[in-house]
């Protein structure tokens, strides 16, 4: 089982080197900027950073199980060899410690030593137990249910990665697994001399009669993880430094459906459309940082976020701002897939509930571009879909859509934006009211010219219509919403993309935090 233990250890080192890289957000933002001229498919790989992080984590869990089970078999064989009284090679090698301090191979030197004793008293055994427990806690607390409902549990247990890496570096220092030294291998090679070790007599003069010498295998884990750890430390230092910079909250707006809008300013803050920031409120918790998409446009002299009550932290934040204006710390901004929206001729923006926030930034930026008569805008058409469960969720976004409608009509580009609002939850009173005012110029739910649609979108019909209207265009599909909707949209992208490179092609992009 030694080969299984050693092979899994090598793979563990390699994956431990990779695990931190996808969460170095400043590194990813830098790469996204430097890859702006790269192929679209290459740039899109950066959007899968969290998926890659999870894949590496699950691989670590599997390899840890293989490594642990293999070493349990190894220790059991060590124990059996130490207790053996015959002249077999394992038994003879297990008694080598009696001949000198550098000659032992079997770490169990007494027949009374148990496997449990080695596991909990030696450095490799104890560190192995600690890092395995840390890994189990991190993996189990990272499930979707825990992250959505008990984010604090996920946040705090994930910082056990410090213990994991410390234990990993120390794990191999003691040299519990040993091998024959190179000088001894040259003199007493096991292929030729093993039989002399078990059958020799005291008067043996053959060159193989010399006792072999063994040494600990040097620890290698630190070589693999040193560079990623240094990179991550610099990442954290940069984030701490940026978080300490003063943030001024200019305006606080409480929208319907318990949505809080914060408009802020910070010296040296520069953003792009669709980016997000991490927000900390020391009055609630000094350690918790939560991601929020920026809803302001780069052209504005402030940056804003919209916070929906979705857990203990957000509830306490909203309640605190209703009483006072606490100190806020901000880290970011960081890049997302939505940054590439203006790289496409045609864009389909799909938001579910509060998932509309990155598209608020995009639509605001378009409004400013129209005001400034920006001729560099590559995008010729935008389709916007917003799915909401209740009518109150539409309220805070209505003013922006109404302004866009008016500005595009004045600019002679009324066809630039096509938007559809879908109400997925309603009662009979709403339906009766809509039916009664069906012939009015504006929608009774939102007050906009575009009528609200009751139910969910028929995505095959929507994609077919876009493909027919733009038969030779590259269409970017952007989603900020749940995973089930992502699967549906991704499937539609594949179904409606033409194999002919000269015809319509849909590229799917999803927000990941």
């Amino acid at each position: 089982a030694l080969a299984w233990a050693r092979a899994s250890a090598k793979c563990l080192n390699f994956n431990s080197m990779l695990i931190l890289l996808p969460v170095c957000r400043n590194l990813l933002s830098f790469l996204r900027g430097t890859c702006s001229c790269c192929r679209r498919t290459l740039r899109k790989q950066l959007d899968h950073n969290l998926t890659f992080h999870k894949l590496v984590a699950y691989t670590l869990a599997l390899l840890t199980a293989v490594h642990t089970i293999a070493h349990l078999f190894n220790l059991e064989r060590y124990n059996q060899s130490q207790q053996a009284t015959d002249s077999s090679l394992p038994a003879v090698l297990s008694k080598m410690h009696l001949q000198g301090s550098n000659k032992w191979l079997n770490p169990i030197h007494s027949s009374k030593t148990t496997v449990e004793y080695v596991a909990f008293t030696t450095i490799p055994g104890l560190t192995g137990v600690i890092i395995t427990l840390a890994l189990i806690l991190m993996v189990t607390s990272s499930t979707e249910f825990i992250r959505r409902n008990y984010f604090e549990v996920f946040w705090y247990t994930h910082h056990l990665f410090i213990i994991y890496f410390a234990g990993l570096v120390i794990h191999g220092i003691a040299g519990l697994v040993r091998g024959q030294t190179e000088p001894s291998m040259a003199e007493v090679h096991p292929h030729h001399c093993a039989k002399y070790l078990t059958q020799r007599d005291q008067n043996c003069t053959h060159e193989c009669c010399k006792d072999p010498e063994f040494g600990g295998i040097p620890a290698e884990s630190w070589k693999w993880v040193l560079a990623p750890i240094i990179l991550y430390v610099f990442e954290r230092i940069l984030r701490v430094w940026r978080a300490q910079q003063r943030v001024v909250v200019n305006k606080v707006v409480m929208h319907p459906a318990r949505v809080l809008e914060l408009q802020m300013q910070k010296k040296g803050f520069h953003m792009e459309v669709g980016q997000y920031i991490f927000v900390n409120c020391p009055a609630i918790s000094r350690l918790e940082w939560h991601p929020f998409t920026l809803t302001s446009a780069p052209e504005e002299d402030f940056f804003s976020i919209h916070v929906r009550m979705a857990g203990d932290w957000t509830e306490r934040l909203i309640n605190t701002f209703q009483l006072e204006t606490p100190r806020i710390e901000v880290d970011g901004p960081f890049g997302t897939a939505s940054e590439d929206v203006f790289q496409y001729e045609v864009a389909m923006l799909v938001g579910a509930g509060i998932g509309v926030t990155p598209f608020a930034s995009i639509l605001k930026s378009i409004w400013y571009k129209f005001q400034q008569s920006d001729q560099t805008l590559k995008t010729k058409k935008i389709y916007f879909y917003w799915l909401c469960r209740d009518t109150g969720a539409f309220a805070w976004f209505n003013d922006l859509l109404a302004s866009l409608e008016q500005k595009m009509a004045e600019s002679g580009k009324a066809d630039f934006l096509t938007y559809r609002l879908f109400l997925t939850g309603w009662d009979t009173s709403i339906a009766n009211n809509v039916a009664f005012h069906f012939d009015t110029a504006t929608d009774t739910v939102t007050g906009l010219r575009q009528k609200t649609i009751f139910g969910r979108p028929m995505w095959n019909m929507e994609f077919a219509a876009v493909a027919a209207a733009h038969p030779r265009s590259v269409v970017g599909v952007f989603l900020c919403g749940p995973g089930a909707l992502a699967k549906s949209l991704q499937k539609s992208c594949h179904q409606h993309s033409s194999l002919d490179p000269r015809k319509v092609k849909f590229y799917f992009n999803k927000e990941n935090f």
Side-chain angles (χ1 to χ4, degrees):
L2 184 62
W4 284 89
R6 296 292 293 159
S8 58
K10 295 285 187 184
C11 294
L12 274 167
N13 288 335
F14 177 70
N15 282 275
S16 296
M17 176 188 71
L18 297 177
I19 192 73
L20 288 177
L21 298 179
V23 292
C24 290
R25 300 179 188 275
N26 287 294
L27 173 65
L28 294 177
S29 295
F30 171 76
L31 291 177
R32 181 179 292 279
T34 56
C35 290
S36 58
C37 298
C38 301
R39 287 178 58 85
R40 185 177 288 113
T41 51
L42 179 63
R43 236 176 24 251
K44 275 168 58 65
Q45 302 312 312
L46 297 175
D47 301 330
H48 302 297
N49 61 314
L50 292 184
T51 303
F52 181 70
H53 178 73
K54 293 174 186 176
L55 179 64
V56 174
Y58 292 139
T59 305
L60 282 174
L62 175 63
L63 292 170
T64 299
V66 173
H67 185 73
T68 304
I69 294 169
H71 268 318
L72 288 175
F73 276 102
N74 290 332
L75 286 173
E76 189 60 39
R77 289 197 175 186
Y78 279 144
N79 198 29
Q80 291 174 359
S81 300
Q82 178 61 42
Q83 293 179 6
T85 56
D86 57 11
S87 58
S88 64
L89 184 61
V92 172
L93 290 172
S94 295
K95 306 299 188 292
M96 293 295 293
H97 66 281
L98 301 173
Q99 319 234 349
S101 59
N102 291 328
K103 295 185 178 181
W104 65 272
L105 179 62
N106 190 336
I108 298 179
H109 295 168
S110 170
S111 58
K112 296 180 180 179
T113 305
T114 63
V115 173
E116 292 80 6
Y117 180 82
V118 174
F120 289 97
T121 59
T122 61
I123 291 176
L126 190 59
T127 55
V129 170
I130 291 172
I131 61 180
T132 300
L133 289 174
L135 190 63
I136 290 171
L137 287 172
M138 284 190 288
V139 171
T140 53
S141 65
S142 301
T143 58
E144 185 78 10
F145 177 80
I146 296 293
R147 283 191 295 110
R148 295 294 181 191
N149 297 284
Y150 305 98
F151 184 82
E152 294 83 358
V153 175
F154 159 75
W155 179 258
Y156 291 125
T157 54
H158 235 58
H159 283 78
L160 291 172
F161 81 92
I162 299 171
I163 294 175
Y164 172 83
F165 278 102
L168 186 69
V169 170
I170 299 170
H171 185 61
I173 287 177
L176 192 68
V177 177
R178 294 166 66 86
Q180 192 173 357
T181 62
E182 290 189 12
S184 177
M185 184 78 77
E187 295 178 356
V188 189
H189 199 282
H191 287 174
H192 311 299
C193 303
K195 62 180 181 180
Y196 289 93
L197 194 63
T198 57
Q199 300 174 2
R200 68 181 176 184
D201 53 36
Q202 293 181 347
N203 299 321
C204 179
T205 57
H206 195 275
E207 61 180 6
C208 286
C209 293
K210 188 176 180 180
D211 288 335
E213 293 188 0
F214 303 94
I217 297 175
E220 295 183 342
S221 296
W222 68 272
K223 299 177 184 178
W224 290 87
V225 301
L226 181 62
I229 288 175
I230 291 174
L231 185 65
Y232 188 77
V233 168
F234 277 114
E235 166 93 7
R236 295 300 295 218
I237 291 172
L238 177 59
R239 287 162 71 170
V240 168
W241 175 74
R242 287 197 307 201
Q244 297 304 314
Q245 295 176 326
R246 183 168 174 262
V247 177
V248 178
V249 180
N250 294 334
K251 190 176 181 181
V252 179
V253 182
M254 194 66 203
H255 294 284
R258 295 277 284 171
V259 174
L260 174 71
E261 179 184 358
L262 299 179
Q263 295 183 8
M264 298 167 280
Q265 284 183 320
K266 181 180 177 181
K267 186 178 180 180
F269 188 92
H270 301 287
M271 63 163 288
E272 297 294 335
V273 293
Q275 291 188 326
Y276 68 97
I277 58 174
F278 276 88
V279 175
N280 171 258
C281 181
I284 299 175
S285 172
R286 290 188 174 275
L287 298 177
E288 285 188 51
W289 292 80
H290 292 263
F292 292 95
T293 308
L294 292 164
T295 53
S296 52
E299 292 84 357
E300 293 175 314
D301 60 355
F302 64 89
F303 62 95
S304 65
I305 60 172
H306 284 70
V307 182
R308 177 176 62 90
M309 191 174 71
D312 295 340
W313 190 88
T314 51
E315 182 179 8
R316 291 170 65 187
L317 183 72
I318 292 171
N319 292 338
T320 302
F321 268 98
Q322 287 180 324
L323 299 173
E324 58 176 335
T325 303
R327 184 168 67 90
I328 291 291
E329 295 179 354
V330 169
D331 179 30
F334 301 105
T336 66
S338 296
E339 283 186 64
D340 297 333
V341 66
F342 295 134
Q343 301 296 321
Y344 293 90
E345 299 172 13
V346 181
M348 295 175 68
L349 314 179
V350 183
I354 200 68
V356 74
T357 48
F359 309 131
S361 174
I362 293 168
L363 295 177
K364 281 183 181 180
S365 184
I366 290 171
W367 188 85
Y368 281 106
K369 290 180 187 296
F370 279 148
Q371 273 200 325
Q372 298 163 5
S373 301
D374 189 347
Q375 301 298 320
T376 62
L377 185 62
K378 181 180 178 180
T379 306
K380 305 301 180 187
K381 178 71 176 180
I382 285 183
Y383 295 89
F384 173 56
Y385 306 86
W386 190 11
L387 290 67
C388 279
R389 292 179 183 175
D390 56 86
T391 56
F394 288 121
W396 68 271
F397 202 51
N398 285 355
D399 292 341
L400 174 60
L401 288 175
S403 299
L404 276 171
E405 279 184 333
Q406 181 180 356
K407 192 63 188 177
M408 286 185 295
E410 292 173 357
S411 304
K413 296 183 178 180
D415 295 332
F416 179 84
L417 174 67
T418 298
Y419 65 90
R420 295 177 181 272
L421 308 180
F422 293 86
L423 187 62
T424 58
W426 70 90
D427 54 29
T428 52
S429 62
I430 296 174
N432 291 335
N433 186 44
V434 170
F436 185 75
H437 297 91
F438 182 77
D439 293 330
T440 57
T442 58
D443 184 58
T444 57
V445 176
T446 63
L448 299 169
R449 297 174 190 171
Q450 178 69 43
K451 301 288 186 178
T452 299
I453 302 169
F454 290 80
R456 299 182 183 277
M458 302 290 288
W459 290 117
N460 279 332
M461 294 176 61
E462 298 292 343
F463 274 80
V466 172
H470 310 278
R472 296 185 180 275
S473 296
V474 177
V475 183
V477 180
F478 296 85
L479 168 70
C480 187
L485 182 56
K487 291 180 181 179
S488 178
L489 291 176
Q490 197 164 16
K491 182 179 178 182
S492 296
C493 286
H494 289 305
Q495 286 179 343
H496 294 276
S497 291
S498 174
L499 296 175
D500 188 341
R502 295 169 297 178
K503 294 185 178 181
V504 67
K505 183 76 174 178
F506 291 89
Y507 285 94
F508 179 71
N509 303 270
K510 184 180 184 301
E511 296 295 311
N512 294 294
F513 299 115

